[in-house]
């Protein structure tokens, strides 16, 4: 087990006050669903990672613009309906994210690359890098959609195991 670098309370204190209640609710929901929380200190503040069976499902990352959710959509194909229900700006963020080099060309990325994810939206198939394919700034508009995506990913992983 990695040494925890900060407590959830310290992490939460670094989150903008108007977003703390949502971050805490989502934390409780993910922990209830069996995710482990690992908090580390990074240059830009804390990172909080939620893991299910030792594989990260989501990170909270701090940037100058605010706090961002990086969701690792390994099973995105299983919840395309959730993706299709996202607001247009979140869909655009996903479809304009970098393509996964390794899904395009198996030897293109590093050997440690775990590959991106594939999903269909509006009839188009997308093969996106797992690092920024679902990377959203937390706002009042995006909050519940972020929760929907990460909970759909957790559910898909649990049904697969």
């Amino acid at each position: 087990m990695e040494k925890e670098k900060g407590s959830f309370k310290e992490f939460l204190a670094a989150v903008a006050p108007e977003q703390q209640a949502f971050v805490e609710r989502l934390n409780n929901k993910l922990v209830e669903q069996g995710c482990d929380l690992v908090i580390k200190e990074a240059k830009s503040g804390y990172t909080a990672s939620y893991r299910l069976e030792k594989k990260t499902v989501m990170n909270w990352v701090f940037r100058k613009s605010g706090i961002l959710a990086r969701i690792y959509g390994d099973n995105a194909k299983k919840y395309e309906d959730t993706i299709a229900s996202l607001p247009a700006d979140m869909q655009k963020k996903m479809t304009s994210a970098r393509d996964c080099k390794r899904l395009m060309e198996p030897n293109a990325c590093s050997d440690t690359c775990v590959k991106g994810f594939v999903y269909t939206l509006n009839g188009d198939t997308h093969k996106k890098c797992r690092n920024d394919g679902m990377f959203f700034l937390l706002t009042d508009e995006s909050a519940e959609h972020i929760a929907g995506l990460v909970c759909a990913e957790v559910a898909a992983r649990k049904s697969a195991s």
Side-chain angles (χ1 to χ4, degrees), residues 85-103:
S85 72
L86 294 174
D89 61 326
M90 289 179 77
Q91 287 183 8
K92 187 177 186 317
K93 182 114 175 57
M94 284 181 69
T95 57
S96 63
R98 306 180 269 171
D99 287 330
C100 172
K101 292 182 206 162
R102 199 150 182 202
L103 284 171

Side-chain angles (χ1 to χ4, degrees), residues 3-157:
K3 187 171 169 284
E4 221 175 85
K5 296 286 188 207
S7 69
F8 181 71
K9 222 180 229 163
E10 291 171 47
F11 161 74
L12 197 59
V15 174
E18 66 276 12
Q19 296 172 328
Q20 290 177 359
F22 170 78
V23 170
E24 190 163 17
R25 270 197 318 277
L26 185 57
N27 172 70
N28 295 342
K29 196 181 279 188
L30 293 172
V31 170
E32 278 166 25
Q33 290 180 16
C35 292
D36 295 316
L37 171 61
V38 178
I39 295 176
K40 294 180 180 166
E41 283 184 58
K43 279 194 312 251
S44 54
Y46 294 101
T47 58
S49 301
Y50 292 90
R51 296 180 180 171
L52 191 64
E53 289 155 17
K54 295 187 171 52
K55 285 191 167 45
T56 303
V57 180
M58 180 197 144
N59 295 333
W60 285 118
V61 185
F62 287 95
R63 294 288 188 270
K64 282 187 179 86
S65 55
I67 187 170
L68 288 98
R70 174 179 285 133
I71 302 164
Y72 297 101
D74 301 355
N75 297 283
K77 202 145 197 56
K78 293 182 179 166
Y79 49 89
E80 290 175 341
D81 54 333
T82 304
I83 294 169
S85 72
L86 294 174
D89 61 326
M90 289 179 77
Q91 287 183 8
K92 187 177 186 317
K93 182 114 175 57
M94 284 181 69
T95 57
S96 63
R98 306 180 269 171
D99 287 330
C100 172
K101 292 182 206 162
R102 199 150 182 202
L103 284 171
M104 304 297 185
E105 168 56 53
N107 303 319
C109 207
S110 86
D111 295 340
T112 57
C113 169
V114 275
K115 282 201 192 112
F117 56 92
V118 180
Y119 64 93
T120 303
L121 178 65
N122 302 328
D124 296 321
T125 298
H126 300 276
K127 298 177 177 182
K128 296 299 171 181
C129 173
R130 76 189 300 264
N131 289 326
D132 62 4
M134 286 193 209
F135 195 39
F136 304 107
L137 181 65
L138 177 60
T139 64
D140 290 347
E141 292 75 42
S142 68
E144 292 310 321
H145 298 289
I146 288 169
L149 283 169
V150 74
C151 291
E153 179 63 34
V154 169
R157 289 188 190 195

